[in-house]
Structure formats: C-alpha cells, structure tokens
Amino acid sequence: MPRDEKAIAARLASLKAELAPDLEVIRLLGTGRMSEVYLARQASLDRLVAIKVLSSHTSRDESAQARFDREAKAAAALQTPHAVSVYRFGHLEDGVPYLVMQYVQGHDLSAIVKSQGRLAVEQATHYVIQAARGMEYAHKHGIIHRDIKP
C-alpha cells in the first residue's frame, strides 16, 4: 500500500472534486519517489487516461514543482510510439502540478518477472530495445529521464 494512505485518500478526493466533470478519477495506479499516478476516465472522449500528480510530500518543494512543470512540457513535445502522449497539463487549486497522459494498460516489467520468473533472453532483449528506443528519442530532444523503473 502507498506510503501515506491518508495523504493518498485526500489527494484522490481532491482530484475527483477539482477535475470533474470531464475527468472521472477512478483509483490510484501507483506511486513513485516524486509523484503519484491515478487512473481516470476522460468523459468527453470516453477514454481511460493516467493522471500524474506531484506527491504531497514533494509538492512543497518549489524546485520539484518547477522540474515537474519543465518535464511535463518537454514530454508533451515527444511524438513516438515508445513514450506515452501528454494530453493536458495544469495546476490544482493548491498549486500542485498535474498532467493527464495516455493510459497504457498492462503490467510493468517487474510484475511480469515476479509472475513469470526469469525472462528468456529474446523477450528481455525485446523489452530493453523498446525502452532504449524511447529513451533515445527523448535524449535526442533534450530530455533525460531520471527515474527509470521496470
């Protein structure tokens, strides 16, 4: 479970209230060192999206907010099948930045390894090549990803 259940529940309620009616926030998808990602339904286009929000413990750091803003704008400029598309960027009423991006259904690589065990070399190579293509594209556009996870 997330590091601070009360903070996550408060953020979920806040997102539901502030982003309605177009974005119907459903649930938390995951947490990272600096952000939380929620699943939502974009009513106007009838599609699932992911909402990334700077985490409550990081949102008080002005430099982290500025970095999130820059990274959101840079990510929105990327047009490649190896990176998710950014649809919208903004700030919540409390000033915390968020972005709405493409939702990709599936499991992360660590979950696949946990459920299937060691990957065959060909399968592992396929995953690494796909990730490397996305990072190469981003790097060519001046973006360095600082938080790569399986």
Side-chain angles (χ1 to χ4, degrees):
M1 197 65 191
R3 59 185 152 258
D4 184 348
E5 292 181 31
K6 287 184 181 180
I8 297 292
R11 177 63 72 203
L12 183 60
S14 172
L15 287 171
K16 284 182 177 185
E18 288 188 51
L19 300 178
D22 190 42
L23 293 171
E24 301 164 0
V25 183
I26 300 167
R27 65 180 168 88
L28 177 71
L29 287 173
T31 61
R33 194 182 71 219
M34 295 189 61
S35 61
E36 296 140 9
V37 179
Y38 296 84
L39 177 65
R41 185 179 157 278
Q42 186 178 15
S44 61
L45 295 174
D46 192 26
R47 67 179 172 187
L48 291 176
V49 295
I51 302 172
K52 184 176 183 178
V53 182
L54 200 58
S55 65
S56 56
H57 73 278
T58 307
S59 63
R60 293 180 288 276
D61 180 348
E62 288 183 26
S63 65
Q65 280 197 16
R67 186 169 50 248
F68 188 95
D69 288 1
R70 283 191 309 274
E71 289 176 5
K73 291 171 186 172
L78 298 179
Q79 301 297 318
T80 175
H82 303 290
V84 296
S85 297
V86 174
Y87 301 137
R88 179 169 141 190
F89 171 74
H91 289 83
L92 300 171
E93 289 176 3
D94 60 3
V96 174
Y98 73 93
L99 60 94
V100 179
M101 57 191 169
Q102 177 184 5
Y103 171 66
V104 179
Q105 190 170 356
H107 302 286
D108 64 33
L109 189 53
S110 63
I112 292 170
V113 171
K114 282 180 187 175
S115 70
Q116 297 179 8
R118 189 175 186 173
L119 301 177
V121 172
E122 298 81 17
Q123 187 179 21
T125 302
H126 172 75
Y127 289 138
V128 170
I129 288 171
Q130 298 308 307
R133 286 182 178 152
M135 290 185 300
E136 176 188 35
Y137 184 87
H139 186 78
K140 284 181 179 178
H141 289 82
I143 298 170
I144 298 173
H145 198 301
R146 294 179 175 95
D147 193 18
I148 300 168
K149 297 183 219 61

